Amino acid sequence: MNIILLGPPGAGKGTQARILEEGYGLVQLSTGDMLRSAVASGSDIGRQAKEVMEAGQLVSDEIVIGVIDERLDAPDTKKGVIFDGFPRTVAQAEALDKLLPQKRLSLNAVVEMAVDDDLLVDRVSGRYTCAMCGEGYHDRHKLTKEEGVCDNCGSRSFTRRPDDNAETVKSRLAAYHEQTAPLIAYYARSGKLKTVDGMADIDEVTRQIEHAIRR
Ligand code: AMP
């Protein structure tokens, strides 16, 4: 099963992708994570992407499509993938429509996670993750049980994304509305679009996604 999670920054795509990975044995393909690794490694792609990401804008279609094209050749993707943060433009969606059959893969569903804009800035600007296990937390909505200690693995080391500040989130939201939201109509036309309420609590969103992808 191959699915796309579509939604604005802070909609909970990463959280749900991690849950679906565990529940269904799928592999999360987050272009944001891949680009952040490229930035951290100082590769050519990382150098080209760094400033664009810090400004909350979109990295070029050419770079992102190249990254996904290469990643889809790894054998683990045969288990099924969850595209998280890709595609983000109509050009990327069209490229994916060509890439999947070339790799003998197909798309089962596109799940749109709908969340009101005014909630997103608050959600994104308070979030941080455990540097060891990647568990996600939030300054106001999901605290660690013991202050400064990860509930999951006991680590005391946490990271915050440099683009998770209120100013950059506004640019990322603008990019979403201008460049990514048109994908809702694109996938509705193909009959693959399912919409879930991204404002419900985490378990309820998972339930709605499971219902949508089983149909
Ligand atoms: P994310 O982790 O999905 O929020 O992505 C973080 C940043 O990486 C975005 O704000 C973009 O600058 C860049 N990015 C991630 N995925 C894409 C994509 N599919 N197309 C263009 N830029 C992307």
Side-chain angles (χ1 to χ4, degrees), residues 31-32 35-36 52-53 57-59 64 85-86 88 92 161 163 172:
T31 41
L35 291 167
R36 278 184 287 280
V52 182
M53 292 172 76
Q57 292 162 2
L58 293 188
V59 173
V64 179
F86 178 90
R88 254 178 160 100
Q92 291 177 21
R161 286 171 43 173
D163 59 347
R172 289 164 62 197

Side-chain angles (χ1 to χ4, degrees), residues 71-152:
R71 182 67 184 85
L72 283 174
D73 287 335
D76 64 339
T77 59
K78 300 287 175 257
K79 293 190 270 186
V81 301
I82 309 154
F83 293 101
D84 162 9
F86 178 90
R88 254 178 160 100
T89 63
V90 171
Q92 291 177 21
E94 289 171 348
L96 186 64
D97 282 345
K98 293 205 183 94
L99 272 179
L100 289 174
Q102 281 169 19
K103 298 178 191 292
R104 298 209 168 80
L105 299 172
S106 61
L107 190 60
N108 299 84
V110 179
V111 180
E112 181 209 354
M113 301 177 63
V115 180
D116 290 345
D117 271 12
D118 43 359
L119 279 182
L120 295 168
V121 176
D122 173 62
R123 275 196 186 184
V124 174
S125 56
R127 69 184 182 181
Y128 61 99
T129 51
C130 170
M132 302 308 288
C133 73
E135 183 71 15
Y137 295 96
H138 194 282
D139 292 330
R140 295 171 291 283
H141 308 305
K142 188 183 169 198
L143 310 181
T144 52
K145 291 196 187 93
E146 186 185 338
E147 203 184 324
V149 180
C150 175
D151 298 351
N152 194 38

